Amino acid sequence: MDAEDAVRLRRAIARLARQLNSSATDEGLTPTQASVLGLIVGRGPVGLPELMRLEHLNPTMLSRVVGRLDELGLIVRSPDPDDLRSVTVSVTDDGRTVHERIKTLRAAAVSDAAGRLAAAEQQALIAALDAMDHLADELK
């Protein structure tokens, strides 16, 4: 892939991310809060160091995000049984419900937009899914 194609791909991914992130605000969450909630749903209970690593957040920002999700009743903090100086976070039923609504809104937005593309473009997107997943793994 040449540099120009790499720039176009990065721009397209960034535009998609911005547009999809806006669905989190419908639930009163920032994109970062929605992302952290999704990680907790998928991996929880999870420790704060792992969340920092996965989200690339500094401790202060993560503390604010976790604090807000806790305030909203979407997660709960518990002492880590292996290290009582640390906490783990897990999702509540309300948190799971909010996450599912965000996921459903995002999936519908992608499906609706893709449905307006030509059939060949839809097939090209589907064919690119494995490569996009592999690219995401390589960027870690």
Side-chain angles (χ1 to χ4, degrees):
M1 175 178 294
D2 68 21
E4 187 175 318
D5 288 338
V7 168
R8 284 185 65 208
L9 178 59
R10 187 204 56 79
R11 283 184 184 151
I13 292 168
R15 284 180 58 213
L16 287 167
R18 279 192 304 273
Q19 291 163 345
L20 291 172
N21 281 341
S22 69
S23 63
T25 60
D26 294 340
E27 290 293 331
L29 300 179
T30 67
T32 302
Q33 291 165 348
S35 182
V36 169
L37 178 62
L39 281 172
I40 296 168
V41 168
R43 296 176 180 253
V46 62
L48 298 184
E50 184 176 1
L51 281 176
M52 273 191 312
R53 183 181 58 78
L54 292 169
E55 278 294 310
H56 304 286
L57 295 174
N58 66 52
T60 302
M61 177 61 100
L62 182 62
S63 177
R64 288 180 185 149
V65 169
V66 167
R68 181 67 180 144
L69 294 174
D70 189 28
E71 275 176 23
L72 294 169
L74 304 179
I75 64 168
V76 291
R77 296 185 251 200
S78 307
D80 184 333
D82 297 327
D83 180 358
L84 295 179
R85 297 169 297 166
S86 300
V87 298
T88 60
V89 291
S90 53
V91 68
T92 63
D93 289 340
D94 286 345
R96 192 172 308 283
T97 299
V98 167
H99 171 71
E100 287 301 318
R101 279 196 305 257
I102 292 170
K103 193 167 76 169
T104 299
L105 284 170
R106 288 176 174 172
V110 170
S111 181
D112 291 346
R116 294 189 298 272
L117 299 177
E121 290 177 311
Q122 291 179 35
Q123 290 305 314
L125 287 173
I126 292 167
L129 289 175
D130 285 340
M132 296 292 286
D133 280 337
H134 294 147
L135 176 62
D137 290 341
E138 290 300 320
L139 287 172
K140 282 184 183 177

